[in-house]
């Protein structure tokens, strides 16, 4: 048994890894249903074109083909958007239709045009080559500024490419502070578009049972119940009791598997038409042009300061790319998950942010690990670094000067959120020590002696996760509540199955959640099963994203366990003929206080199912409890990331030499899993900062459409990380947990870029876009040369 | 992937016969380029003639001041060969820097040279070392072999048997990886050969691998990094893509050439 047992705080090895590491995971594409057929989706090669005519006759008569459908055949509802944002003038956002198969027009490279269903995938693909589509190519809008300045219309019927023009804060009041400020620092920031690239490509198997009239969809989803609701209610009009959605093992999501995608609706809708199950699995190149992308902001921001560098006001104007259609959560990402974070860890008293969401002829953009918070953090931490330079303050001093003090909680920000707890000085101090910042000057000198530039970058960040109080998100336009549910089913011999509405796609819930149960009920891990992902097993669920699984899903499990203990206490009291108030439950034993009378949890469970002498008016048989938990607030992890880079000025190559992260994720249930989550997040953060960038040409062709051109972070791009936690407890959930799934990806990118800028500052390079590839860094050095020489 | 007929001959003669009999046959070596091309439906050969059963095409011999490598010898075999490591260490190191372990265990020198990917590593070694490419019907100097992007002097029905590298007195290869694909964004092979210094550049040229006469004559007068370091190649002849502008490539060629000369000693 690991040190600390198997309860809260123990670094238990992940129980799911046995099957994952031995190739025995059960992913959607591993499923093969009796009589299964295969779907191939024909996609648009154009970014923008009318569909004048589609001739499917030759494809329909090709070998092995069972059916071919186009948008004309598939008269179903539009793929829905789950969040409605209102513009500052009060009008609702533009919400153009999103047919699963395009009708009349295609709007991005990869848009679904037709589906071929055949006996084999190769036959479906062969037949698809026989479909002739008469396209009328149209000019495409890719760049957001052009899209707003009278470029081609992505959706003719709405007459604009502006989805919404939203704001938070009082612009006039903010402007008044700027007018009187001693100093204003301005910055232009682009947050680069990313392609998620989960290791497992998306897949879906649709099935229809003629006998019962029940549909089943197996899919790579982070939230099967949400897919059942969205697809059943809005797209295909299938009631919940006739629609089962199963998300088995899922190999990574990072947000991209939250959304309801066309392919899920297509295979489910077509299954009864061909009378056989249908499987679709994305090819990797298909994932690049059909999985929702992430980020993609253009921002201008400015900070007003007094003469000492104290922040007085922040003003931000952002354009956010929505892509060609509104993906499920897209509208809330650059608004409620972004602008509300702009106070960060600072006491900035007043903030205004305007966000224009823009349609372009690109793949839809939605939440990607961090969702809005990385964009806010990157902006703020780059700006703060620049403020320090302009005010002649050190990167540490400007932060200390503006931190929300640790005794100021609960802290109400000017942008709606109320932080419950945190200690930013503690995480900063711990990170300064762990990163050996005191030794940096010596390391810089040694690097210079080798002809290299060395830089140090800071990011003191905060994020809001544990998404989210239903009342709050409802008032902000969410069309769903964001609670979570759990059922704790105690079996007659005392083992337990927990049904959770959270979904694990790499996070290790089967271990972390089992530790909660082990801790509360005193059971060994092997007596606990965590079940998720099947709408026919799990009562309900809102799924996994926004680092919510433990803070919301875990709390629901605790709530259900508390009910189990209450009921079990009643049973124990009855059997041991004691008063309920005299029963103590500890380490899996119910004891009558002050006596040696005691029953094990398993004995009580057995009695619950063998109720030979129960007073049935007062005590029901069975031991099975369900709870729904709606959080009272977001949770607010935060911390300090410090990055140290070395740059070869001859080639522009940046090497991350040290990466230190000290995060406050609230109570740590499993330190090994927390460290793993932070490692993965940082890898993605360094990926965004130095490597990953989605590039479209002006015609909307994706130039980074494969791993030949899209740079994923690899092990040798990364140093060994130094990670640690400094804990303040969340005050509004019983576990005191905050969340750790996204902090790595949120905190790290600005630390990396600030380090790059620091390394090159003396060469005259004062700005750096992401990704800071060798070419970009080299070009920046070249561009600065004449300026530096003139100085 | 479209359907094709599959053959696995065990001799060069049978391989040639199978190719002749086919409508549009292609040799399959390690398949590291061929298989992805087929999977993406970018090629539709009628027949694939798998050379992995032709034992005569595998092996490394060192004799007469040259290293001769059979066409079907994998990159991994070249990288780990003690013969190559002692005869031409730069060549072993180059092979060890191709792709990843899976690619090195499948990919072959014959496939690489026949494919003449403008970002591949071996063509630079062939050109800089003055290699000879031996086929079923002739021997060709590397200078005549690599003709254009993905183009060689090979006839449609010609098979590479081996590649022979004369031993240089010193040589080194410096590769600047494309950050995404890790093929060469710029790769510079320098060699001090019997006929004087040779410098070959891969990953950059609009027509594929090329020699840099200016650097070669500079090295002839002084074998030193400084002789070539600042010597940029004309950017007008180089590729531009999202990873590197022609100007950046021109600059990197100078940097990599200097580093290669230093590494060669
Ligand atoms: C992920 C990945 C990374 C890579 N990275 C690099 C890299 O960094 N540097 C690099 O240089 N290369 C790289 N490669 C290419 C690889 O090293 C192989 O050299 C290349 O794929 C060709 O060799 P092959 O044996 O696989 O040939 P195949 O793919 O089997 O064949 C390629 C072509 O050569 C022809 N051919 C094969 N053998 C003969 C012969 N004996 N005679 C005539 N024609 C023949 C075939 O018909 C075909 O047209 C990479 C490949 C992959 C998949």
């Amino acid at each position: 048994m690991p040190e600390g047992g198997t309860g809260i705080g123990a670094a238990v090895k992940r129980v799911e890894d046995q099957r994952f590491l031995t190739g025995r995971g059960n992913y959607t594409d591993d499923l093969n249903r009796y009589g299964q057929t295969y779907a191939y989706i024909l996609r648009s090669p154009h970014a923008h074109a009318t569909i004048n005519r589609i001739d499917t006759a030759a494809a329909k008569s090709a070998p092995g083909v069972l059916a071919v459908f186009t948008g004309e055949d598939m008269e179903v509802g539009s793929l829905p958007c789950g969040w409605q944002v209102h513009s500052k003038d009060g009008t609702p956002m533009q919400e153009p239709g999103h047919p699963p198969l395009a009708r009349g027009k295609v709007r991005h490279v990869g848009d679904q045009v037709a589906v071929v269903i055949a006996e084999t995938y190769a036959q479906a693909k062969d037949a698809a080559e026989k479909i002739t589509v008469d396209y009328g190519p149209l000019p495409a809008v890719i760049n957001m500024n052009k899209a707003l300045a009278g470029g081609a219309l992505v959706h003719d019927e709405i007459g604009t490419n502006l989805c919404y023009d939203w704001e938070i804060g009082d612009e006039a009041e903010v402007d008044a502070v700027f007018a009187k400020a001693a100093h204003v620092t301005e910055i232009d920031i682009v947050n680069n578009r990313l392609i998620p690239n989960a290791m497992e490509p998306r897949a879906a198997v649709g099935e229809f049972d003629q006998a019962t009239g029940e549909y089943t969809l197996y899919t790579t989803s982070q939230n099967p119940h949400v897919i059942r609701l969205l697809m059943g209610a809005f797209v295909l009009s299938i009631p919940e009791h006739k629609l089962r959605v199963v998300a088995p093992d899922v190999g990574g999501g990072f947000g991209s598997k939250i959304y309801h995608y066309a392919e899920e609706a297509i295979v489910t809708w077509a299954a009864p038409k061909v009378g056989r199950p249908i499987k679709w699995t994305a090819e990797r190149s298909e994932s690049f042009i059909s999985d929702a992308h992430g980020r993609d902001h253009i921002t201008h921001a400015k900070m007003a300061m007094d003469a000492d560098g104290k922040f007085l006001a922040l003003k931000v104007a952002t354009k956010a790319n929505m892509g060609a259609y509104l993906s499920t959560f897209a509208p809330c990402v650059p608004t409620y998950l972004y602008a509300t974070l702009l106070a960060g860890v600072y006491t900035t008293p007043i903030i205004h942010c305007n966000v224009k969401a823009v349609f372009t002829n690109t793949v839809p953009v939605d939440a990607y690990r961090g969702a809005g918070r990385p964009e806010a953090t990157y902006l703020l931490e780059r700006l703060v670094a620049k403020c320090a330079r302009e005010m002649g303050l050190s990167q540490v001093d400007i932060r200390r000067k503006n931190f929300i003090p640790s005794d100021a909680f609960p802290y109400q920000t000017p942008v709606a959120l109320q932080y419950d707890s945190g200690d930013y000085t503690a995480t900063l101090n711990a990170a300064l020590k762990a990163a050996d910042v005191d030794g940096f000057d010596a390391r810089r000198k040694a690097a210079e002696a080798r002809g290299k530039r060395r830089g140090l970058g800071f990011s003191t960040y905060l994020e809001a996760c544990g998404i989210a109080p239903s009342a709050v998100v409802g008032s902000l336009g969410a069309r769903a509540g964001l609670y979570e549910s759990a059922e704790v089913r105690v079996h007659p011999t005392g083992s337990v199955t927990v049904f959770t509405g959270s979904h694990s796609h790499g996070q290790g819930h089967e271990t972390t959640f089992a530790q909660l149960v082990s801790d509360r009920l005193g059971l060994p891990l092997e007596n606990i099963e965590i079940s998720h992902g099947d709408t026919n097993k799990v009562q309900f669920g809102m799924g996994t994203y926004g680092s919510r699984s433990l803070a919301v899903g875990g709390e629901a499990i605790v709530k259900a366990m508390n009910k189990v203990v209450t009921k079990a206490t009643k049973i124990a009291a009855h059997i041991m003929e004691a008063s309920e108030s005299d029963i103590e439950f500890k380490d899996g034993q119910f004891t009558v206080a002050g006596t040696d009378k005691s029953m094990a949890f398993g004995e009580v469970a057995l009695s619950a199912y063998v109720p030979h002498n129960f007073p049935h008016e007062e005590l029901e048989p069975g031991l099975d409890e369900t709870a729904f938990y709606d959080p009272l607030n977001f949770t607010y992890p935060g911390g300090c990331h410090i990055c140290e880079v070395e740059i070869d000025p001859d080639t522009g190559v940046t090497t991350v030499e040290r990466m230190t992260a000290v995060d406050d994720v609230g109570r740590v249930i499993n330190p090994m899993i927390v460290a793993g989550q932070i490692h993965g997040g940082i890898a993605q953060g360094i990926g965004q900062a130095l490597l990953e960038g989605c590039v479209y040409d002006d015609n909307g062709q994706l130039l980074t459409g494969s791993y030949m051109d899209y740079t994923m972070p690899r092990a040798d791009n990364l140093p060994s990380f130094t990670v640690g936690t400094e804990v303040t407890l969340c005050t509004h959930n019983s576990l005191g947990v905050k969340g750790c799934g996204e902090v790595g990806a949120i905190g790290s990118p600005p630390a990396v870029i600030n380090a790059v800028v620091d390394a090159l500052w003396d060469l005259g390079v004062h700005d750096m876009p992401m990704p800071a590839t060798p070419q970009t860094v080299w070009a920046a050095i070249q561009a600065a040369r004449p300026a530096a020489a003139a100085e | 992937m479209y359907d094709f007929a599959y053959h696995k001959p065990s001799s060069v003669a049978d391989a040639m016969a199978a190719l002749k009999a086919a409508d549009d046959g292609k040799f399959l070596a390690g398949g590291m380029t061929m298989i992805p091309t087929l999977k993406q439906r970018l090629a539709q050969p009628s027949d694939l003639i798998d050379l992995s059963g032709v034992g005569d095409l595998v092996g490394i011999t060192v004799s007469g001041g040259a290293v001769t490598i059979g066409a079907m010898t994998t990159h991994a075999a070249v990288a780990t060969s003690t013969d190559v490591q002692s005869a031409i260490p730069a060549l072993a190191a180059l092979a060890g820097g191709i792709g990843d372990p899976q690619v090195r265990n499948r990919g072959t020198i014959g496939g690489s040279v026949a494919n003449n990917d403008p970002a591949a590593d071996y063509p630079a070694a062939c050109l800089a070392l003055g290699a000879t490419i031996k086929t079923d019907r002739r021997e060709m100097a590397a200078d005549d072999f690599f003709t254009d992007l993905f183009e060689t002097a090979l006839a449609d029905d010609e098979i590479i048997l081996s590649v022979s590298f004369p031993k240089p007195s010193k040589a080194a290869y410096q590769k600047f990886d494309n950050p995404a694909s890790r093929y060469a964004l710029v790769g510079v092979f320098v060699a001090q050969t019997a006929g004087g210094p040779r410098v070959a550049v891969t990953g950059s040229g609009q027509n594929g691998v090329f020699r840099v006469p200016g650097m070669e004559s500079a090295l002839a007068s002084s074998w030193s990094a400084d002789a070539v370091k600042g010597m940029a190649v004309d950017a007008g002849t180089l590729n531009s893509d999202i990873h590197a502008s022609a100007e950046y490539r021109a600059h990197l060629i100078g940097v990599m050439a200097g580093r290669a000369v230093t590494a060669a000693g």
Side-chain angles (χ1 to χ4, degrees):
Chain A
M1 199 186 281
E3 198 178 334
T6 56
I8 290 173
V12 177
K13 280 198 182 137
R14 302 196 340 162
V15 298
E16 49 272 78
D17 282 348
Q18 180 65 30
R19 73 174 188 279
F20 291 155
L21 296 178
T22 56
R24 291 184 172 84
N26 189 29
Y27 297 88
T28 300
D29 189 58
D30 293 330
L31 298 168
N32 290 303
R33 309 298 299 165
Y34 180 73
Q36 176 176 292
T37 65
Y38 295 83
Y40 174 79
I41 310 273
L42 182 70
R43 297 179 183 279
S44 171
H46 298 286
H48 198 193
T50 55
I51 300 176
N52 302 327
R53 210 174 64 88
I54 306 180
D55 184 348
T56 60
K60 279 180 175 152
S61 58
V65 171
L66 296 154
V68 181
F69 300 109
T70 69
E72 297 303 315
D73 305 313
M74 194 175 175
E75 294 249 1
V76 299
S78 179
L79 297 173
C81 181
W83 203 298
Q84 187 178 50
V85 168
H86 284 77
S87 285
K88 56 188 177 188
D89 65 5
T91 56
M93 67 185 188
Q94 298 287 352
E95 208 172 339
H98 187 184
L101 288 172
R103 290 196 207 141
K105 204 168 148 178
V106 286
R107 295 183 175 85
H108 66 87
V109 169
D111 210 350
Q112 305 78 226
V113 173
V115 59
V116 182
I117 298 153
E119 296 287 348
T120 70
Y121 183 69
Q123 286 174 329
K125 217 172 164 179
D126 284 343
E129 290 187 356
K130 298 188 157 65
I131 298 176
T132 47
V133 186
D134 175 12
Y135 291 107
L138 297 168
V141 282
I142 306 306
N143 176 290
M144 285 192 272
N145 290 324
K146 285 187 191 155
L148 289 179
L153 287 176
V154 180
H155 297 274
D156 309 271
E157 68 278 15
I158 59 174
T160 173
N161 289 324
L162 181 67
C163 176
Y164 56 74
D165 183 359
W166 175 91
E167 69 175 353
I168 189 168
D170 188 318
E171 185 168 19
E173 283 178 24
V174 168
D175 286 345
V177 177
F178 271 91
K180 295 203 203 94
H183 185 80
V184 173
T185 294
E186 307 205 22
I187 198 163
D188 286 295
I189 288 283
V190 173
N191 205 288
N192 45 327
R193 178 187 274 245
L194 302 176
I195 304 179
N197 281 299
M199 196 180 288
E200 177 206 25
R202 287 191 299 113
V205 181
E207 189 173 281
F208 179 69
D209 185 334
Q210 309 253 342
T212 61
E214 190 183 293
Y215 291 83
T216 304
L217 169 68
Y218 300 90
T219 182
T220 48
S221 175
Q222 302 178 211
N223 39 213
H225 287 86
V226 174
I227 301 305
R228 185 180 65 169
L229 182 68
L230 294 174
M231 184 176 79
F234 297 98
V235 186
L236 301 183
S237 302
I238 305 169
E240 275 101 332
H241 67 294
K242 291 292 182 194
L243 176 56
R244 175 182 175 202
V245 177
V246 185
D249 284 332
V250 173
F254 313 112
S256 70
K257 292 174 183 165
I258 299 173
Y259 324 116
H260 175 37
Y261 285 96
E263 298 84 359
E264 296 170 322
I266 292 169
V267 295
T268 309
W269 171 83
K273 304 218 158 17
V274 299
R276 291 171 54 186
I278 304 170
K279 178 188 277 186
W280 169 81
T281 303
E283 297 184 21
R284 182 58 67 181
S285 332
E286 216 176 348
S287 302
F288 276 85
I289 53 169
S290 69
D291 292 1
H293 291 177
R295 318 276 193 256
D296 206 349
H297 286 193
I298 304 174
T299 296
H300 180 76
K302 53 184 180 176
M303 185 75 88
M305 285 171 281
D306 71 10
D308 297 327
K310 186 103 180 137
F311 302 155
L312 302 177
L314 172 65
K315 189 167 181 184
V316 176
T318 293
K319 295 187 188 93
N321 204 335
M322 296 284 103
Y325 302 98
L326 287 181
S327 175
T328 311
F329 282 136
C332 79
V333 175
T335 50
Y336 299 108
L337 296 179
Y338 166 72
T340 53
L341 270 293
L342 288 170
V345 293
Y346 308 113
T347 53
T348 317
I350 176 167
I351 294 172
H352 178 262
C353 178
N354 171 240
V355 179
K356 292 186 170 71
V358 186
F359 291 112
T360 60
N361 292 113
T362 61
V363 171
V365 180
D366 207 327
Y368 170 71
R369 202 171 194 169
R373 293 101 79 209
E375 295 90 319
T377 301
Y378 183 66
L379 161 70
L380 202 52
E381 291 304 298
R382 290 285 316 277
L383 179 57
V384 167
K386 197 171 177 197
C387 288
R389 293 269 181 191
E390 293 187 2
M391 299 306 290
L393 291 168
S394 81
Q395 293 297 334
V396 170
D397 287 347
I398 195 157
R399 288 174 165 84
R400 289 198 197 281
K401 194 183 278 286
N402 287 288
F403 273 165
I404 297 162
S406 58
D407 60 4
F409 296 94
Y411 180 81
Q412 179 63 51
T413 74
V415 274
L417 299 178
Q418 193 188 69
Y419 305 161
D420 63 332
S421 67
D423 187 342
Y424 313 125
T425 304
T427 45
L428 173 65
N429 288 345
L432 289 172
K433 198 158 165 249
D436 184 25
V437 167
D438 287 344
F440 173 71
D441 273 337
R443 294 193 294 275
R444 170 176 268 174
K445 287 202 182 76
E448 282 170 4
R450 284 182 277 113
K452 300 286 169 58
R453 313 287 315 177
R454 200 156 175 123
L456 195 63
F458 293 83
S459 163
T460 47
Y461 76 96
L462 165 141
E463 68 129 331
C465 64
I467 290 170
S470 296
V472 174
V473 295
S475 71
L476 300 178
R479 288 162 168 161
L482 286 173
Y483 50 83
E484 195 48 270
S485 90
E487 179 189 343
V488 175
R489 186 181 297 169
V490 183
H491 303 295
T493 57
S495 66
V496 169
T497 304
V498 175
F499 298 90
T500 171
S502 295
H503 187 281
S504 191
H505 28 282
Q507 294 89 342
H509 294 171
E510 289 169 49
T511 306
T512 304
F513 289 176
Q515 287 180 254
L516 299 182
V517 179
S518 177
D519 199 88
R520 181 75 175 101
L521 302 183
L523 301 176
L525 291 180
E526 53 272 26
N527 288 6
I528 305 159
E529 188 70 24
I530 306 297
S531 177
H532 61 83
D534 183 342
T535 61
N536 271 17
K537 285 188 187 169
V538 180
Q539 55 292 340
F540 203 73
M542 293 308 296
T544 287
Y545 38 84
S547 302
R548 67 191 304 273
S549 299
L550 188 56
V552 191
E555 276 300 305
I557 295 172
V558 170
K559 221 176 143 189
M561 287 195 293
N562 290 342
K563 291 186 186 178
V564 164
V565 171
T566 302
K567 169 101 182 266
T569 301
K570 272 199 184 116
I571 297 170
H574 167 70
I575 292 172
M576 294 191 282
E577 297 176 326
S579 142
E580 263 173 62
S581 57
D582 287 339
I583 303 286
E584 288 170 353
F585 179 58
K586 197 167 167 277
D587 298 332
Q589 288 287 332
F590 292 89
T591 308
V592 182
T595 74
D596 58 2
K597 276 213 246 174
S598 175
M599 282 180 84
F601 181 79
E603 294 176 81
V604 176
L606 189 62
S607 313
Y609 290 96
V610 190
H612 285 161
N613 65 353
F614 269 26
H616 287 298
E617 310 77 52
E618 294 150 42
L619 202 52
E620 279 178 32
L623 197 52
D624 185 345
E625 299 287 349
T626 297
F628 281 68
Y629 173 76
D630 203 324
L632 300 172
N633 191 352
F634 291 83
T635 58
Y636 300 97
C640 176
H641 290 194
I642 300 176
C643 179
E644 193 167 324
V645 300
E646 202 163 287
I647 295 174
D648 177 351
D650 286 343
T651 59
V653 170
T654 300
T655 310
V656 180
E657 297 290 340
R658 290 168 174 238
M659 186 73 211
T660 306
V662 176
D663 300 292
D664 175 2
V665 300
R667 191 187 308 285
V668 173
I669 307 297
N670 182 323
M672 183 199 69
I673 289 182
V674 167
Q677 287 291 307
I678 291 171
H679 276 237
I682 293 174
Q684 276 172 305
I686 293 175
Q688 167 160 34
L690 298 180
L691 305 162
E692 298 184 51
C694 168
V695 183
Y696 279 100
D697 72 11
D698 290 343
N699 300 318
Q701 293 297 327
L702 183 61
L703 299 182
T704 51
S706 80
Y707 296 134
M708 293 299 281
D709 290 301
Y710 188 85
T711 313
M712 293 297 288
R714 279 171 264 193
D716 64 358
N717 295 123
L718 309 168
S720 192
F721 304 146
T722 304
V723 301
T725 51
E726 275 291 319
V727 172
T728 65
L729 296 179
C730 171
T731 62
H732 57 80
N733 61 43
S734 74
L735 291 166
V737 296
K738 296 185 177 180
C740 69
E742 294 161 293
V743 293
I746 293 168
S748 59
V752 178
I753 298 297
N754 284 338
V756 172
V757 172
D758 182 54
L760 301 177
W761 190 268
D762 293 342
L763 298 181
V765 176
H766 299 167
D767 189 19
M768 182 60 60
M770 296 192 292
T773 62
Q775 156 165 261
T776 301
V777 169
W778 178 80
I781 295 170
Q782 299 316 302
R785 279 237 159 98
E791 266 167 25
Chain B
M1 199 179 283
Y2 300 104
D3 286 349
F4 52 81
Y6 175 80
H7 311 267
K8 193 172 176 185
S10 52
S11 70
V12 172
D14 288 352
M16 297 306 294
L19 189 75
K20 264 199 187 78
D23 247 3
D24 178 21
K26 281 268 180 292
F27 294 125
L28 177 69
M32 292 293 93
T33 295
M34 188 51 116
I35 303 284
T37 309
L38 295 177
K39 284 171 86 172
Q40 290 175 58
R41 299 184 161 221
L42 297 172
Q44 193 170 8
S46 63
D47 297 65
L48 273 194
I49 296 125
D50 183 350
L51 300 178
S52 67
V54 185
D56 287 352
L57 293 177
V58 182
I60 298 167
T61 51
V62 184
S63 73
V67 175
T68 301
I69 303 175
M72 283 300 288
T73 310
T74 63
H75 310 327
V78 174
T80 56
S81 155
T82 48
D83 286 344
V84 182
Q85 282 166 359
S86 62
I88 316 179
L91 188 61
L94 174 146
I98 295 175
D100 49 48
Q102 290 88 336
V103 168
R104 291 195 289 275
N105 280 312
R106 295 286 317 166
T108 66
I109 190 168
S112 178
V113 169
N115 195 48
N116 191 19
D117 186 313
D121 297 301
Y122 269 128
C126 292
L127 208 50
L129 293 169
T132 301
I133 289 98
K134 185 174 176 211
T135 74
D136 58 305
R137 63 199 68 165
R138 53 182 166 159
E139 296 194 352
M140 274 179 278
D143 284 291
D144 305 323
F145 183 81
F146 302 106
T147 53
D148 207 339
L149 306 177
F150 299 102
E151 298 285 342
T152 68
L154 282 177
D156 277 349
D157 62 345
E158 194 168 3
I159 187 170
I160 299 176
L161 302 179
S162 64
V163 184
S164 193
F165 298 91
K167 227 178 111 177
S169 59
K170 49 189 170 184
Y173 179 60
Q174 288 287 308
K175 174 179 182 178
F176 189 91
D177 286 1
N178 175 314
S181 73
R182 300 203 172 173
Y183 275 71
L185 191 74
V186 165
V188 181
F189 203 113
V190 302
Q192 183 64 276
T193 71
R198 288 170 71 107
V199 178
V201 175
T202 187
S204 306
Q206 284 172 3
N207 306 315
V209 65
F210 64 92
R211 285 172 65 184
V212 191
M215 286 187 179
E216 292 178 354
S217 51
L219 288 174
S221 30
S222 154
W223 181 272
S224 73
D226 286 343
V228 293
K229 211 171 158 188
M231 192 179 266
V233 169
D234 176 11
T237 64
L238 303 181
N239 274 330
S240 264
D241 56 35
I242 59 171
H243 303 289
S245 64
E247 292 69 33
Y248 181 46
R249 278 197 165 89
H251 167 78
L252 283 179
I253 290 170
V255 175
M256 292 295 119
R259 289 183 184 178
V261 171
T262 304

